Amino acid sequence: MISSHLPLCAGYWFGCSGDGQPSYARRVSLVSLGVPTIPRAGAESVRPDTKALLDSYGRVATDLRVSLTDRCNLRCTYCMPAKGLDWLPRSTVLTGEEIVRLIGIAVRDLGVTEVRFTGGEPLLRRDLEAMVAAVSALRPRPQISLTTNGIGLSSRAQGLFGAGVDRVNVSLDTLRPATFAELARRDRLDDVLAGLAAAKHAGFDPVKVNSVLMRGHNERDAVPLLEFCLRHGYELRFIEQMPLDAQHGWDRTEMITAQEILAMLRTRFRLDPDAGERGAAPAERWLVDGGPGTVGIIASVTRPFCTACDRTRLTADGQLRSCLFSITETDLRTPMRAGASDAELARLWRDTMWRKPAGHGINDPAFAQPARPMSAIGG
Ligand code: SAM
């Protein structure tokens, strides 16, 4: 099936066309830059007979992100409008049983080894612990993680740890209460800090912290956030803001880049590249002041990592997405509720992933933001 190779569309300076293929002139310079290559997809590509979630570029998805709800108890300005969204009708949101069935198919039949629960805000689901326990009982047992805003984690961290969550990421963009209230449109900083402390106390190690910096709002929090995380033993990762807000207000020129974040942190810390293997991890890691503390930077926009992407995504209403930025989805809910077998659902899943695009295309002039915002996809 692999007849030729070409560089994967990976950034705007690489000049991707709409189908993720760089133009000829740029291909030449990409080769000279030694950009990694991946198998070329083409009309002649035929999906090999494998159980894995393989795409036509040769990547294999093993990391499943499951959104449990599109609802959230914060209204972060870069994510949701102040009044919230038109929430998914309750009848379309998958039940815990349906979610566990689909995760079971992914783990047993499709080679998924990691499951991350996200949202919306996953702690809004009261049946989260039961789902975690059921997923934890699957064999082979997948790694289980959770991305949360931390509100309510103080009373649930121990139970989630006991049910089988292996890793937790808590989102925190500032340590200043007034800035938190302005950015999240809710005055809940103390709840998040209590959630973080409870996660550490429950035994999660490391506890990861995710931060998005917004120009004119919280860029001066970069250094204090890292000081705070180092002091408490949390692992901080900054994420470049992506065009996934419901308001479609993302503006490249306003985005704080990974390079700027590094420069800000270097005013206070010595940062050396962490020599550890990055693999499919989205964060580039840096040793802080010689270690052992580290900081990660997820440069989704300026240094995309699509070549190494191993993700597959399931939305709260049972739609499969091969990429955060997919503009097409595969409906699993309707066939599942109509009585489809596990084998039929697995086939739909494999077919969807085979069509995964080469790259997210954010840096392509023809980029179209997906209709679903981050909160309804699952970050
Ligand atoms: N409610 C949970 C939380 O706050 O972590 C899980 C869902 S939230 C969508 C997951 C992560 O996506 C958060 O760390 C959030 O900061 C991040 N996020 C949301 N919108 C984003 C955007 N436009 N660009 C980059 N990250 C974003």
Side-chain angles (χ1 to χ4, degrees):
M1 124 183 132
I2 299 168
S3 59
S4 61
H5 286 67
L6 89 173
L8 176 64
C9 158
Y12 66 95
W13 60 92
F14 296 166
C16 308
S17 63
D19 61 358
Q21 314 288 329
S23 67
Y24 174 73
R26 283 172 171 142
R27 245 182 278 168
V28 173
S29 59
L30 277 173
V31 171
S32 61
L33 282 169
V35 170
T37 61
I38 55 168
R40 177 179 185 162
E44 77 282 12
S45 298
V46 175
R47 190 185 186 287
D49 187 17
T50 163
K51 286 178 75 174
L53 290 175
L54 176 72
D55 71 43
S56 66
Y57 295 89
R59 295 163 297 187
V60 175
T62 54
D63 181 348
L64 168 61
R65 309 271 151 146
V66 182
S67 174
L68 298 182
T69 174
D70 59 330
R71 293 171 192 246
C72 190
N73 38 13
L74 296 181
R75 295 285 180 275
C76 300
T77 52
Y78 54 82
C79 192
M80 258 195 217
K83 62 176 179 30
L85 297 166
D86 291 333
W87 309 121
L88 293 170
R90 295 241 182 231
S91 61
T92 68
V93 174
L94 300 186
T95 64
E97 221 169 76
E98 289 172 326
I99 291 168
V100 170
R101 176 177 173 204
L102 291 176
I103 295 174
I105 294 171
V107 169
R108 280 190 308 264
D109 304 331
L110 300 170
V112 162
T113 56
E114 287 193 54
V115 176
R116 176 172 294 275
F117 291 108
T118 180
E121 176 43 48
L123 291 186
L124 293 179
R125 291 278 300 237
R126 304 316 302 179
D127 55 352
L128 173 60
E129 286 79 352
M131 284 186 255
V132 170
V135 171
S136 172
L138 292 172
R139 293 295 176 268
R141 184 195 186 283
Q143 286 289 298
I144 303 171
S145 48
L146 174 71
T147 300
T148 170
N149 62 29
I151 296 173
L153 190 58
S154 60
S155 61
R156 295 174 71 183
Q158 198 73 62
L160 286 163
F161 188 73
V165 175
D166 300 298
R167 289 192 297 269
V168 68
N169 289 39
V170 178
S171 302
L172 174 66
D173 302 328
T174 177
L175 293 162
R176 293 177 291 140
T179 306
F180 186 99
E182 176 200 320
L183 269 179
R185 300 197 184 95
R186 301 285 187 273
D187 188 7
R188 306 295 299 268
L189 175 61
D190 286 347
D191 296 300
V192 179
L193 297 181
L196 270 169
K200 185 176 171 189
H201 183 71
F204 289 105
D205 184 22
V207 174
K208 291 192 180 175
V209 171
N210 290 349
S211 294
V212 176
L213 295 179
M214 301 287 290
R215 201 175 299 285
H217 295 277
N218 64 335
E219 67 257 62
R220 72 176 161 106
D221 290 274
V223 166
L225 277 167
L226 183 50
E227 286 170 336
F228 167 82
C229 287
L230 292 171
R231 195 162 61 244
H232 291 275
Y234 306 145
E235 207 175 296
L236 177 63
R237 294 133 37 102
F238 290 99
I239 310 172
E240 280 181 344
Q241 188 201 357
M242 293 178 279
L244 284 171
D245 55 313
Q247 312 86 301
H248 289 222
W250 182 84
D251 176 353
R252 174 187 301 283
T253 59
E254 281 298 301
M255 183 191 74
I256 300 187
T257 63
Q259 209 170 339
E260 285 179 87
I261 297 168
L262 275 176
M264 285 189 271
L265 297 178
R266 281 185 161 137
T267 62
R268 164 71 181 77
F269 304 100
R270 196 184 98 223
L271 300 182
D272 301 306
D274 184 351
E277 181 58 49
R278 182 178 174 188
E284 287 180 67
R285 294 208 324 172
W286 302 84
L287 280 181
V288 183
D289 290 339
T294 62
V295 63
I297 303 192
I298 304 182
S300 327
V301 178
T302 60
R303 287 202 287 275
F305 35 86
C306 305
T307 44
C309 182
D310 63 352
R311 308 266 169 86
T312 178
R313 296 174 183 274
L314 179 66
T315 67
D317 56 342
Q319 309 300 304
L320 270 183
R321 301 173 65 87
S322 60
C323 170
L324 203 46
F325 292 89
S326 294
I327 46 173
T328 58
E329 299 180 335
T330 300
D331 181 12
L332 287 191
R333 185 190 74 244
T334 305
M336 176 167 62
R337 289 185 178 173
S341 66
D342 285 5
E344 285 161 342
L345 294 170
R347 185 182 54 73
L348 285 171
W349 208 318
R350 284 191 198 100
D351 290 349
T352 303
M353 294 309 294
W354 178 247
R355 297 190 300 271
K356 181 178 174 113
H360 58 40
I362 298 177
N363 301 307
D364 182 335
F367 171 71
Q369 185 171 333
R372 273 188 202 257
M374 176 78 120
S375 58
I377 298 170

